[in-house]
Amino acid sequence: MSTLKRAGYFLGLPLILLAAWIGYTSVQTNFFIPEPAVLADRFFHIWFSERLMSDVLPSIGRLLAGLGLSIVAGVTIGVIIGYVRWIRWLFEPLFEFIRAVPSTILIPVLLLLIGINDAMKITLIVCSCIWPILLNTVAGVTSIDEVLQNTAKVIGLKKLDRMRYLVLPAASPQIMAGIRQSLAVALILMVVSEMFASTDGIGHWTINFQNRVAIPEMWSGILLLGIIGVVLSVVFHWIQKRILAWYEGLKENEND
């Protein structure tokens, strides 16, 4: 598929919705649905002039920090658990229990233990995002073909080499699937933590605008969060294509 055609598919629906929005606001006035020009003005004035350094960048920083720690911890622990059978049997029931606990319920606990600061918000993101990555990593490691593992042992590959050249590459498709799931979770928890336990950030000001019935300003915060989500998704797919280039090639060959 050509790049132009892909761009058309990517932008087609947003452009249709934008046209419908412009058409609706041009014939009818609704207090809760601002005109696109008004929203655009508030969007750039608030988030790229007034609050870029004090709110937008700190929010993105907390999001990336929580996601990065989740990836490192989730992959590391997941590989160990998946590779060592007795550890998997020992911890699997505990992990399933902890994963079932909603992360938002941890906010009061983390507020008491850590306080209202960046560490609390990052910890909340990690407490939720780590599970999709960890469990997908375990599934990826345990699903490696035993013939491949035995072959690696027979030819004399050391444990570190087996981990580098066999385990991690073979598990990488499922690891990336776990990271993809965690992207949306990280964004949601960044917003939730800032709404209920913060004095700054995109989530804090979005709920603040809603409480003040500043409708265009509130929608501008929602728009910014949507754009951040899209950017994260695009960047992730770009990275995934390069990390899993061999895997994508195998899938294309199978389809042919």
Side-chain angles (χ1 to χ4, degrees), residues 226-238:
I227 292 173
I228 292 173
V230 171
V231 171
L232 285 175
S233 179
V234 170
V235 171
F236 172 79
H237 282 295
W238 182 83

Side-chain angles (χ1 to χ4, degrees), residues 68-82 130 133-135 137-138 141 163 168 171 175-176 179:
L69 289 173
S70 300
I71 293 171
V72 173
V75 172
T76 303
I77 299 172
V79 168
I80 295 172
I81 293 173
I130 191 174
I133 300 171
L134 189 153
L135 295 176
T137 302
V138 172
V141 172
M163 189 68 63
L168 288 177
I175 292 173
M176 297 304 288
I179 296 173

